[in-house]
Amino acid sequence: MSIALPGSVRVRFAPSPTGYPHAGGARTALFNWLFARHHGGRFLLRIEDTDRERLVPDAEAYLMEALRWLGLEWDEGPDIGGPAGPYCQSERLERYHQRARELIARGRAYPCFCSRERLEQVRAARRAANLHPYGYDRHCRGLSEAERQERLARGEPHVIRFAIPLDGETSWDDAIRGRITYNHRELDDHVLIKSDGFPTYQFASVVDDHEMGITHVLRGEEWIPSTPRHLLEYQAFGWEPPRFAHLPVITEPGGKKLSKRLGARSILEYREQGYLPDALVNFLALLGWSPGGNREILSREEMIALFRIEDVVSHPATYDADKLDWISGIYLRKLTPSELVERALPFLERAGLVGSPPSAAERDLAARALPLVQDRMRRLAEAPELAEFFFRDPPEYDPAAVRKWLDRIEARAILTRLRDGLQGLDVWDATTTESVVRRTAEELGVPAAEVIHPTRVATTGRTIGPGLFETLAVLGKERTLARIDLALARFVPGKGTMVGGA
């Protein structure tokens, strides 16, 4: 029985826990969520766990954690009370059997006793005739009712198949792709109930969509060939079908199938790599949908207000990893200093740059250091590499940077004069350290860059980083002087010879 209120929108995300959700599945969930929120409707989560041989034990828990991390909270589903929950398909087996019996009674389904060996023979014959190998020859459809009952009484293993009309065609108006038509001769009698007693997707999804009051089915384009079967089942029951919309496939640049290196990775891997959920949601929303006006950065509220299924394209959507990083960087730059620290600290812990948990001093250092590298960060996982020199003494020195700026005689005069000037500072901040650097350049008669670059390499070990004066302010006087002393002792030639080495 349908539970949808008249005119209300009800959509569902119905994954099978046979693996971990990736970008394609998350995009499907997001589009359903946006569609429901745009129309003030309901977004349901349904776990389709009838494929018992391929179940992954922790996939269901992983799925729900991934959706929650993305902020795609569902209104009804397997762990939320309500008219249709808590609920999983594996708990509704008797319901599917009841519905299958209804179809048998109407002459729209029948038991099939064909063995695996016979079905393989049929497939081999079809392959030899250059036909699709998985078609069924309807052998058991022609059995008499008496023979069926006799074989059922003997307890012979069997499946329940749907009786596809032998003539005619089925059409529907897809909300994205327009009119689609299938000739019934292209369809075989598909299985509704397997020999293990579990329903197939082709059957359980139709029964559930009807009984959960689903008004719109938004799913991937790979399900287009299943749609005429589903519509025929709706017709056989005398039910009103939902409106279908088949989302475009996601490919790599050039049209290749999406690899694990890109969007086929599982969703929580994005969390491990330091993408913010809002950034990933923004990116996923643009895979096949555009809000118009060349807008690419949108809040969830803006997406909800603008999302229309009619604006989703039918051609493949391209997964652009560089664009994801660009969007991610924009969202990272929006974080307040305190938000940045809280989100980046776990990555610093994992890299061993701070304790677990971080001490008060380490948190204070992170609060001062991380905002300096925020503009260069695309993912939180980059924080350890970008900010490493703030936390590790001595820093790791880039040999190329040492050769360019420290492995020369004039570097000793520059760093020695600079150290003397910094030593005399009573107030240590970006302004006072800058004044000493620039005064040192004037006294030596060299451009300021000739002082800035060796100083950066001596104190950070690298040539690129945040502003030098802000960096020195965060490092503090004692650590800055100690690092200059180390550079003078290890890398800078004295009296024409190298002391130490890179």
Side-chain angles (χ1 to χ4, degrees), residues 54-349:
R54 297 173 57 231
L55 287 184
V56 176
D58 63 340
E60 182 179 329
Y62 186 103
L63 165 73
M64 291 190 289
E65 182 179 356
L67 290 179
R68 288 190 175 109
W69 177 68
L70 289 171
L72 305 181
E73 291 289 344
W74 53 95
D75 303 307
E76 297 171 23
D79 68 344
I80 290 182
Y87 137 91
C88 289
Q89 283 188 336
S90 59
E91 299 173 357
R92 288 170 46 84
L93 298 185
E94 179 51 38
R95 189 62 173 165
Y96 305 127
H97 282 265
Q98 175 187 339
R99 291 300 193 182
R101 289 192 294 270
E102 291 179 25
L103 290 181
I104 292 174
R106 295 174 183 220
R108 300 303 302 271
Y110 59 93
C112 172
F113 304 93
C114 291
S115 66
R116 290 187 178 181
E117 292 75 17
R118 185 185 183 283
L119 292 175
E120 184 51 46
Q121 292 173 358
V122 172
R123 293 184 186 116
R126 291 180 64 85
R127 280 193 292 266
N130 293 319
L131 298 173
H132 194 289
Y134 292 104
Y136 176 58
D137 62 358
R138 298 185 170 96
H139 172 76
C140 290
R141 185 165 171 172
L143 298 179
S144 67
E145 183 61 25
E147 184 175 356
R148 287 176 184 165
Q149 292 304 320
E150 180 181 346
R151 299 180 73 167
L152 288 172
R154 290 200 301 263
E156 288 190 29
H158 64 281
V159 301
I160 303 299
R161 289 183 181 272
F162 184 74
I164 295 285
L166 299 180
D167 297 307
E169 60 186 25
T170 290
S171 301
W172 76 96
D173 292 314
D174 193 276
I176 294 174
R177 300 164 190 275
R179 192 72 170 173
I180 300 177
T181 299
Y182 274 79
N183 192 299
H184 294 163
R185 295 178 182 177
E186 302 173 23
L187 311 174
D188 69 340
D189 290 0
H190 56 276
V191 174
L192 303 179
I193 304 291
K194 297 177 289 185
S195 59
D196 63 2
F198 281 83
T200 61
Y201 167 82
Q202 306 283 20
F203 186 50
S205 65
V206 169
V207 172
D208 289 339
D209 284 346
H210 171 72
E211 296 190 353
M212 295 171 71
I214 299 303
T215 61
H216 298 75
V217 173
L218 282 58
R219 60 188 180 187
E221 67 175 40
E222 66 271 19
W223 296 111
I224 290 176
S226 296
T227 306
R229 302 179 185 275
H230 298 170
L231 288 169
L232 286 170
E233 290 178 30
Y234 276 101
Q235 181 188 76
F237 279 116
W239 297 339
E240 182 73 21
R243 180 83 186 275
F244 289 93
H246 289 92
L247 309 176
V249 68
I250 303 173
T251 66
E252 292 188 5
K256 294 182 179 179
K257 181 181 178 181
L258 203 58
S259 68
K260 188 173 182 180
R261 182 179 62 85
L262 293 178
R265 71 188 76 158
S266 59
I267 288 300
L268 293 184
E269 288 184 63
Y270 289 92
R271 182 176 67 180
E272 297 304 307
Q273 294 173 352
Y275 291 101
L276 297 176
D278 283 348
L280 183 56
V281 164
N282 193 153
F283 172 74
L284 292 173
L286 301 177
L287 291 177
W289 171 72
S290 171
N294 295 319
R295 300 181 64 186
E296 296 194 298
I297 305 300
L298 302 102
S299 68
R300 289 176 191 256
E301 292 73 19
E302 290 172 320
M303 292 181 214
I304 290 170
L306 295 170
F307 187 82
R308 296 191 328 135
I309 197 64
E310 296 84 357
D311 295 330
V312 176
V313 299
S314 60
H315 58 76
T318 301
Y319 185 106
D320 186 339
D322 291 335
K323 184 173 183 178
L324 171 58
D325 283 345
W326 173 73
I327 291 174
S328 178
I330 291 175
Y331 276 83
L332 282 174
R333 289 191 287 277
K334 290 181 179 181
L335 294 179
T336 65
S338 61
E339 290 173 335
L340 176 64
V341 170
E342 291 306 314
R343 286 164 173 76
L345 272 176
F347 294 88
L348 299 182
E349 289 183 40

